[in-house]
Amino acid sequence: MTLFRLDASIRTHGSASREIADIVEEEWRAARPGDDVRRRHIGVDTLPATAWASAVTAGMTAPQERTAEQREAVALAATLADELLSADAILFAVPLYNFGVSQHFKTYIDLVCTDPRASGPSFLAGKPTVLATVRGGAYGGGTPREGWDHSTPYLRRILADQWGADLSVVEREFTLVGVNPALDPFTEQAAQMHAGALQAAREAGRALGAVPLPA
């Protein structure tokens, strides 16, 4: 069985989304020792910002008339789609940046969507997928920034509704407590949220590892 893991954080050390994803992966490995994990870290090894436009225009251009940039973009989109299709389970680690989707992950989504195979819910139909996402502040009901998280709802729409993945979401808030002094009054609450997120990650990883192979 193959797990495909994608990280979108710009950090390699101290990343809160990476911490959650590491736990999910550890639990998956414990259930499936020796199975394959394939990776892509788009927060560090970034995708070309111009690839999406090149792939879109390539779709409106006869193959023999495409530029080198268009051909490269189409090939890259196909590679990204192949990584998802060839995996038996998927793990995305995507932080909230500036109240929205990480630019690296949005570039990734846009590029994958240019591949004809990604045009509907049959793309990842029923594929077990975990989204590990984190937010520096608190955005729940009744908080001053309720509704300011414009990332998680979008990711649910794309991964579950548009692509058809069997999606589980592990979330952690208040990751900037201890970093931003203005959030110091929420230290205890943040610690509880952290512990809850780590436990949710363990449960999600175990559930992912328990998924039977396709018949």
Side-chain angles (χ1 to χ4, degrees):
M1 190 172 183
T2 299
L3 173 69
F4 174 69
R5 172 175 170 173
L6 183 141
D7 286 271
S9 173
I10 60 174
R11 305 172 69 186
T12 55
H13 302 287
S15 165
S17 62
R18 192 177 184 87
E19 178 188 35
I20 292 175
D22 283 347
I23 292 174
V24 174
E25 180 183 331
E26 286 168 7
E27 293 292 343
W28 186 88
R29 283 184 176 278
R32 298 185 175 277
D35 282 4
D36 192 21
V37 178
R38 299 172 187 170
R39 308 174 187 279
R40 183 176 287 272
H41 197 322
I42 58 174
V44 175
D45 299 317
T46 59
L47 299 171
T50 57
W52 175 67
S54 295
V56 169
T57 56
M60 299 178 284
T61 305
Q64 67 273 16
E65 297 177 3
R66 290 173 181 170
T67 65
E69 290 78 11
Q70 288 174 325
R71 292 193 297 272
E72 290 170 3
V74 169
L76 177 57
T79 295
L80 300 179
D82 285 341
E83 289 174 342
L84 296 172
L85 289 170
S86 64
D88 298 297
I90 299 170
L91 171 59
F92 293 115
V94 186
L96 174 78
Y97 285 151
N98 298 317
F99 314 116
V101 183
S102 151
Q103 66 165 323
H104 303 106
F105 199 71
K106 184 61 166 62
T107 297
Y108 173 82
I109 292 291
D110 287 341
L111 192 51
V112 171
C113 283
T114 65
D115 189 285
R117 295 169 293 176
S119 61
S122 62
F123 178 45
L124 300 180
K127 186 163 293 192
T129 301
V130 173
L131 167 64
T133 189
V134 298
R135 298 179 282 273
Y139 298 80
T143 64
R145 285 186 171 167
E146 178 183 0
W148 283 45
D149 173 7
H150 301 289
S151 173
T152 310
Y154 168 82
L155 295 176
R156 289 181 183 274
R157 296 292 82 79
I158 294 294
L159 302 178
D161 297 343
Q162 177 66 20
W163 287 354
D166 181 6
L167 183 66
S168 299
V169 181
V170 179
E171 305 172 82
R172 178 190 166 195
E173 295 199 313
F174 268 154
T175 63
L176 288 180
V177 172
V179 178
N180 182 349
L183 298 178
D184 286 349
F186 303 102
T187 298
E188 183 176 348
Q189 187 176 358
Q192 294 172 351
M193 289 181 169
H194 190 187
L198 299 186
Q199 181 58 35
R202 295 184 191 99
E203 294 170 1
R206 290 168 192 155
L208 202 64
V211 172
L213 282 169

